[in-house]
Amino acid sequence: MCINNASAIIFLAVYVSGINLEVLASEPSEFADRSVWRSSVTAPELNPREAAIAELGKQLFFDPRLSIDNTMSCATCHQPDKGWSDGEATPLDRYGKRIERATPGLLNLQAHTVFMWDGRVDSLVDQVALPITSPREMNMDLDKLVVRLRSVPSYQSAFSGVYPDGVTARNVQHAIAEFEKTLVSGDSDFSDWVAGNEQAMNDQQKLGFELFTDPQKGNCVACHHPPGFTDNGFHNLGLVNVQQDNADLGRYNIRPVAVLKGAFRTPGLKDIELTAPYFHDGSADTLESVMDYYIEGGRHQSGVSPDFKPLDITQQEKQALVAFLKALTSRDAGR
Amino acid sequence: MKIRLMLVIVMGLMGANCIAQEYEIGQKNKEFTVKELTVRVGDKMTFTNQDPFFHNIYSLSENQSFDLGSYPKGNQRSVVAEKPGTLKVECAIHPNMQMIIHVEE
């Protein structure tokens, strides 16, 4: 009773809920200040033990013995010269059938707090086990993998040198994760420009940056935030017809909240030039076709992210955005 | 006269204790400005988006689940605590945005 009375008393104050208190459209983005992009993902400084673990992880990453029939390693799909992706729209599984989602690149994972296109794990160590044990991928039982690796003298010695408990499934996962954390983008035209070298980006690339951060134009920063060019968030870009039976609902399968139907993780954009095709379904072959997609405003409108709107940009501006994205490519990329 | 005055004071104090509170929680830099909060049943929590992109508010907690939808900067959404227990409140778009609300009788 008291609470009802109290509710009545504060009703007017609460009633303002939902009223738009600020006009946003004309506000410049705080991300337009290039200094906010300065704090970037860098290679971790490793002590000798950590370096040994990362080296062990590298061996494991490239070792096909991590798959049930010794035919597939992590590097089968995550190839160094393709931004640690595979260049396929979506990869073939071990039975020659297409997997529904594209192989994500592995650069700058330190900027990520959720993994897989649907963010089903929030730990890189946990993530490592998923493709190893997936029946359609490496199809390896972790207990059998431990037995197999313990029979390899070089692994036995390498594991016991860095882990008190030697070869365990968790240590395999940890070592691979530590190796993956060393995969970071190097210096690029953009990072040089952010550091103060005015000549590092040309006028077209600078225009691209302006468009990228302009809420009225590219508005890419609605989702691609500094420093990793990702908000670690989930957005429906209209790629999926969420009304269709058996549609890939992405994040919604993990968190059944309406806005997440057909939503997938925002990828980082450093070295994005290397990881074509694009989107979770690999449906855009080039960065130009990604821009065309955004200009069109998506394939399906049902449940589309509120941050996603058709881009009102000219062909010249489209090319500037693409030029900017290519300015994010590391000079040592693929080496 | 004295008794009547005392009665008014006591009733006033009871009323003050019974008034449901409203709590303001900001959503800024992809974080809640309050990470943990203790409220009572009937209290209202109002969430204000202070970021230049959409946020969402939902909870799938056992004792109370809700989805207040998505809204842009400057907009607010409110929810009233219905039952005692613990609510984990999150933004669906940005899963790192999480807070805990302890709801007491």
Side-chain angles (χ1 to χ4, degrees), chain A residues 2-3 6 14 17-22 24 27 113 222 225 231-235 251 255 257-260 306-307, chain B residues 18-20 22 30 41 44 52-54 56 58 60 67 70 72-78 90 92-96:
Chain A
C2 286
I3 288 170
V14 173
S17 296
I19 295 173
N20 192 346
L21 302 175
E22 291 181 45
L24 318 172
E27 281 185 13
T113 56
H225 299 172
D231 61 355
N232 281 301
F234 296 87
H235 303 269
R251 179 68 173 169
R255 288 279 190 282
V257 180
V259 72
L260 296 176
D307 280 312
Chain B
C18 290
I19 291 174
E22 179 167 358
K30 285 178 288 178
V41 171
K44 179 170 280 197
F53 37 82
F54 278 74
N56 161 282
Y58 80 98
L60 298 179
D67 176 6
S70 305
K73 183 176 182 177
N75 280 231
Q76 300 175 318
R77 292 289 186 275
S78 298
E90 303 174 67
I93 301 168
H94 306 104
N96 298 322

